[in-house]
Amino acid sequence: MTEPAETTAKSRRRRWPQGYDPQRTRRALVDSSLHLFEQEGFDRTTLQQIVDGANLTKGAFYHHFQSKEDVLWQIQNEYLDTQIKAARAIVEQHSDIADQLRALIRLSLSGVASYRAHVAIFYQERRHLTGEHLRAVTEKRDELEALICGTVQHGIDAGKFRSNVTSRIVTFGIIGMCASAFQWFNPDGTMSVDDVTDQFCTLVLDGLIV
């Protein structure tokens, strides 16, 4: 005998021990989307898969998000907002320009370690953002790049870094090198974030410092 659809939906509905928790519900939907977008891709992930993964209903989804793209935008924001806040603090706190760049490189790698799925989705699925979502994420991406680029340019202007390099090209090199780590870096492996940071900084700073 087929189970009524209403009963099936109720069985999927998450019941929090202390009653409905909007923050935990939203987190469950984002976490389910993170896993699916990384493993299956944005296009191939269905709304039903997202709510099933969160053990929730479509009604719960639409209470928190307007669409799959809305969740994708939220995922991008979680990663970029955290990185921008930390990068601003680094620029403000480090007076030595080499230490500043070293800390920014470490931040980029630690971001890959802590937000691996976010980073993978940022580079592989960002093309699915449109309109205001795309504009807002692009602005945040540009701000993060500008913080790194500003550090490199400051080093060049101060005579600390080589003058025969272009700050924007160096920045793209640093970002590309760090971002690609999501494809191979294992935080639980034999090398730590600090180990990889040291090697990346050797490559970058040995080529920059006068």
Side-chain angles (χ1 to χ4, degrees):
M1 182 176 179
T2 303
E3 187 178 14
E6 182 180 358
T7 302
T8 303
K10 286 182 178 179
S11 68
R12 285 200 303 266
R13 187 176 302 153
R14 187 185 293 273
R15 289 181 172 83
W16 303 116
Q18 299 177 341
Y20 174 67
D21 187 328
Q23 290 186 341
R24 290 173 68 184
T25 297
R26 186 180 180 88
R27 185 72 253 164
L29 290 166
V30 170
D31 287 345
S32 177
S33 300
L34 263 170
H35 173 74
L36 289 163
F37 290 169
E38 182 186 15
Q39 297 298 318
E40 305 294 334
F42 179 84
D43 275 344
R44 292 185 297 277
T45 297
T46 67
L47 179 58
Q48 190 63 59
Q49 286 177 307
I50 292 173
V51 297
D52 284 349
N55 196 25
L56 292 163
T57 64
K58 288 183 179 179
F61 179 91
Y62 284 117
H63 181 73
H64 292 274
F65 301 102
Q66 296 180 0
S67 63
K68 278 200 312 175
E69 183 183 330
D70 200 21
V71 187
L72 179 62
W73 180 62
Q74 174 65 30
I75 289 170
Q76 308 289 270
N77 283 329
E78 284 186 346
Y79 169 66
L80 288 169
D81 288 348
T82 301
Q83 293 295 102
I84 289 171
K85 181 179 179 181
R88 287 173 178 166
I90 287 170
V91 170
E92 291 174 359
Q93 292 168 6
H94 290 270
S95 57
D96 182 87
I97 201 67
D99 287 344
Q100 190 177 118
L101 187 57
R102 184 177 290 107
L104 288 170
I105 291 172
R106 189 189 189 286
L107 171 66
S108 296
L109 282 168
S110 62
V112 170
S114 302
Y115 293 90
R116 186 191 178 286
H118 290 75
V119 174
I121 292 168
F122 179 79
Y123 286 101
Q124 296 173 352
E125 308 297 335
R126 189 175 71 238
R127 67 186 185 278
H128 295 291
L129 292 175
T130 62
E132 179 61 23
H133 286 158
L134 178 60
R135 184 197 65 77
V137 165
T138 300
E139 284 185 357
K140 290 181 180 181
R141 179 206 63 189
D142 291 348
E143 180 178 357
L144 187 57
E145 289 179 359
L147 287 165
I148 299 173
C149 190
T151 295
V152 176
Q153 188 61 54
H154 183 192
I156 295 171
D157 294 342
K160 302 292 185 180
F161 294 163
R162 297 179 185 276
S163 60
N164 62 341
V165 297
T166 304
S167 59
R168 190 164 178 79
I169 299 301
V170 173
T171 298
F172 287 155
I174 291 171
I175 292 173
M177 182 172 62
C178 294
S180 68
F182 84 84
Q183 299 176 329
W184 54 264
F185 178 61
N186 178 10
D188 299 320
T190 57
M191 299 191 71
S192 68
V193 169
D194 287 337
D195 291 332
V196 180
T197 296
D198 287 344
Q199 294 200 31
F200 276 12
C201 286
T202 296
L203 289 171
V204 174
L205 291 172
D206 280 3
L208 282 177
I209 294 176
V210 176

